[in-house]
Amino acid sequence: MKTYTISEVAKELNLTVYALRYYDKEGLMPFVERTPSGNRLFKESDLSALKVIECLKATGMPIKEIKNFIDWCSEGDATLQQRYDMFLERKATVEAQMEELRKTMEVIEHKCLYYKTALDAGTEDIHKEDKIEINS
């Protein structure tokens, strides 16, 4: 079975060694084995677990809640419902974030068009209704 060093995992997942050590300190990696000298040895399944941790982190989930998820995983089938419910909640969170980003993109696209047409016309005056007035 192939194993990876912490540096290899950091490079593979685009993380820092410091971040991985922090995750370990916070209890997010109880599955990672160590050599007799204390170096971490990562397996392919550990990389998969870290990808899930990174996914949850990207949704804005706090480390403490990610730790709860990791604990549930170690408890096995008894926590399947909690894990399922947690991912449904994360899904709803991400959908709301995506909707906010969609609205933001609409404004940005509108302003790109606004400034493109103003540049083409050589003046912002063609947008009298939409022009931001700053009185000094």
Side-chain angles (χ1 to χ4, degrees), residues 25-63:
K25 183 174 85 66
E26 292 299 314
L28 301 184
M29 301 186 326
F31 43 80
V32 174
E33 295 175 16
R34 289 185 180 257
T35 65
S37 60
N39 293 327
R40 294 166 189 88
L41 279 182
F42 294 83
K43 304 179 298 292
E44 203 64 48
S45 61
D46 300 339
L47 271 66
S48 297
L50 284 163
K51 287 176 185 174
V52 173
I53 290 168
E54 282 300 292
C55 170
L56 292 172
K57 196 166 151 267
T59 71
M61 181 180 262
I63 295 290

Side-chain angles (χ1 to χ4, degrees), residues 71-101:
D71 291 344
W72 289 338
C73 290
S74 66
E75 291 172 31
D77 290 349
T79 61
L80 285 172
Q81 187 66 53
Q82 287 104 311
R83 289 181 271 162
Y84 175 68
D85 292 345
M86 184 209 71
F87 273 98
L88 285 178
E89 184 258 312
R90 286 290 102 195
K91 182 176 183 265
T93 298
V94 171
E95 286 169 342
Q97 291 169 338
M98 289 170 66
E99 179 59 22
E100 284 302 309
L101 284 173

